Amino acid sequence: KSASVFAAMVSAVAAVARHATEARVNQLVEDVAAAYESVDDDNHERRATLAAALALELSRNASDALRDHATKILPLAFVGRFDADDKRRKKWEEVWEENSSGASSTVRLYLDEILASSLARLSSSQYQIKAQGASALAGLAVDAPDVVAGKAPTMLAALTKELPGRVWEGKESLFPAVADVVEKCPAAASTFGGGEVVKTLVAECAARKKSSYREAALRALDRSLAALAPPTVGPGGGPGGGPGGGAGGGAGAAESVDFFPAVFPLVRDTLDPPSSDSADASMNDAENLDRSTAGATSREMEEEAHRRASEAKAGGAVAES
């Protein structure tokens, strides 16, 4: 059908809905929701386009009828704001803006429904739908961090589960989503296991050849480490104002804080895990290195590590001779 015929039909449906019985409107809303949630249907693109158009037309011309079904429509509108198709995304954005009463309060009301829809998309077999699910989860954390903090472990578990395996087109979009959730809900992320997030990101950085993918993983790792690092102390004795150190400290204080000692423990075991045969020796070496570099700057720590490596290399050469 032509675009004009399609628009006329959608407009007619909304006009009829203004005068339809509650049961009929309820069935229409159910059909709209089913059409947009059919993420693995062969006709998903066509059905999703129809769902977005109907939702917008109902919002414009049958708002009273739509208001009674906000539980169905608003979760779709939130997720639809991250649709890969520009036209659908703009329609859902208008539906959300016209019918929500502020992002945080609306997310609080429909969190379970939004989360269920986002997770369903994340587990889809279609790559664009997966990316939409990841972006929607990130949007939850950005728009209402206090509301979703309790769900952050579930969100991170779902996101990190999707990272291993083949690199599909657009998979890089998962990394900003992980970093957004960690940044906005650092305490909850630590409860989930901040070390697990770091290990997953480090593994993706090291195991992939695609440069853009590795770059996205490194950026997410950088942001996650900054959020997960324990609070640092600035020169004035208060919070240093670093990314993981709270809101205290001015710009000068933030620049003078040595961030490396705070984040190094988060990646040390991941980068150099001890073997079962040398666990005790590695533990002793780590303790000695910690003592010798306690309070040191990142440059001094690197120099100490380089010195120890040189000594070990020299000792091996003497033993061979």
Side-chain angles (χ1 to χ4, degrees), residues 44-86:
H44 171 72
E45 286 295 310
R46 183 172 61 84
R47 297 185 68 188
T49 298
L50 175 61
L54 280 171
L56 179 58
E57 204 63 34
L58 287 170
S59 177
R60 288 174 173 174
N61 300 314
S63 56
D64 291 340
L66 187 65
R67 191 175 298 115
D68 295 333
H69 301 278
T71 304
K72 282 287 185 182
I73 293 297
L74 284 179
L76 294 182
F78 182 93
V79 176
R81 293 162 60 219
F82 304 95
D83 199 301
D85 183 84
D86 288 341

Side-chain angles (χ1 to χ4, degrees), residues 31-190:
D31 290 344
V32 169
Y36 196 65
E37 295 286 26
S38 62
V39 292
D40 288 322
D41 191 287
D42 291 339
N43 294 319
H44 171 72
E45 286 295 310
R46 183 172 61 84
R47 297 185 68 188
T49 298
L50 175 61
L54 280 171
L56 179 58
E57 204 63 34
L58 287 170
S59 177
R60 288 174 173 174
N61 300 314
S63 56
D64 291 340
L66 187 65
R67 191 175 298 115
D68 295 333
H69 301 278
T71 304
K72 282 287 185 182
I73 293 297
L74 284 179
L76 294 182
F78 182 93
V79 176
R81 293 162 60 219
F82 304 95
D83 199 301
D85 183 84
D86 288 341
K87 293 181 179 179
R88 288 199 298 263
R89 182 172 65 251
K90 290 176 181 177
K91 288 181 171 65
W92 285 118
E93 285 175 348
E94 183 174 334
V95 173
W96 176 260
E97 291 170 2
E98 292 298 322
N99 295 276
S100 64
S101 55
S104 182
S105 58
T106 307
V107 167
R108 188 183 300 277
L109 285 173
Y110 306 113
L111 175 59
D112 290 339
E113 291 84 358
I114 294 172
L115 186 60
S117 181
S118 301
L119 292 175
R121 279 169 165 71
L122 187 62
S123 61
S124 170
S125 60
Q126 297 188 39
Y127 302 152
Q128 282 191 338
I129 304 297
K130 276 184 177 292
Q132 181 187 6
S135 297
L137 290 176
L140 279 173
V142 171
D143 288 350
D146 295 338
V147 176
V148 306
K151 302 291 187 180
T154 300
M155 295 160 66
L156 284 172
L159 287 167
T160 54
K161 180 183 176 182
E162 295 294 330
L163 289 176
R166 63 172 297 182
V167 179
W168 39 268
E169 184 179 354
K171 191 175 182 180
E172 293 90 336
S173 63
L174 296 181
F175 293 116
V178 171
D180 281 339
V181 176
V182 173
E183 278 185 343
K184 297 300 180 180
C185 309
S190 297

